[in-house]
Amino acid sequence: MITNTKELKSQLNKLISDPGFLQLQDSFEKESFFQLLGFGHRELVHSAFISWLLSPSSSLNLGTFPLKRFLYYICEENIYSLETNINFDLIESNSLRLEYMNVSTEVTESAIDPETGTKLNARFDLYLTNDVMRIIVENKVLSRENKDQTDTYTKILNNLDDSYDYELKVFLSPDSTVKP
């Protein structure tokens, strides 16, 4: 029996991530909305859609709910690997100021690699920021990472002249075999 909110959230995350549940869901959804429109493999369209879902100020009028749900999932996936310092309690607090999150797509940045002196370029699929937090999302739709892409992105982010209390780097792919 579930006795607290944290356990409920954890169980819900496990349910919607369970392979059997996903297979059942897939059997009811033969074609996605994107496939019906002919955009099934277009990363830009997927990123724009995700941006619209996550933005607290989008026309959906859902506020921070989708963004919090996204962060809950990231926390649940990373709870044992400790790859993030963001947890359920922090998400629920007002410390992250999620209502002020700006969500952009296709943000370009560049920096000089301090090791080699070469110019590094990046195009972040999703770039979410406010005054305390930055979330970078690399969105792969039926494609793989370009050579050292995520390593390059990390080098660029480390060389930017900004500072955030919290930073997340997220790699999204519908194919679980695609890794950063």
Side-chain angles (χ1 to χ4, degrees), residues 46-110:
H46 284 256
S47 293
F49 182 71
I50 294 168
S51 169
W52 180 60
L53 288 175
L54 295 181
S55 176
S57 60
S58 81
S59 61
L60 289 169
N61 293 319
L62 294 174
T64 60
F65 178 78
L67 182 55
K68 282 183 176 181
R69 186 70 189 92
F70 180 70
L71 292 173
Y72 292 149
Y73 183 76
I74 292 168
C75 286
E76 182 68 26
E77 288 295 305
N78 288 297
I79 203 161
Y80 299 111
S81 63
L82 302 176
E83 292 181 22
T84 179
N85 60 349
I86 296 176
N87 58 46
F88 295 115
D89 292 333
L90 184 62
I91 295 167
E92 282 302 315
S93 75
N94 289 327
S95 301
L96 296 177
R97 301 173 45 84
L98 297 177
E99 64 274 15
Y100 300 107
M101 190 67 72
N102 295 309
V103 183
S104 303
T105 59
E106 308 307 313
V107 172
T108 58
E109 292 285 355
S110 61

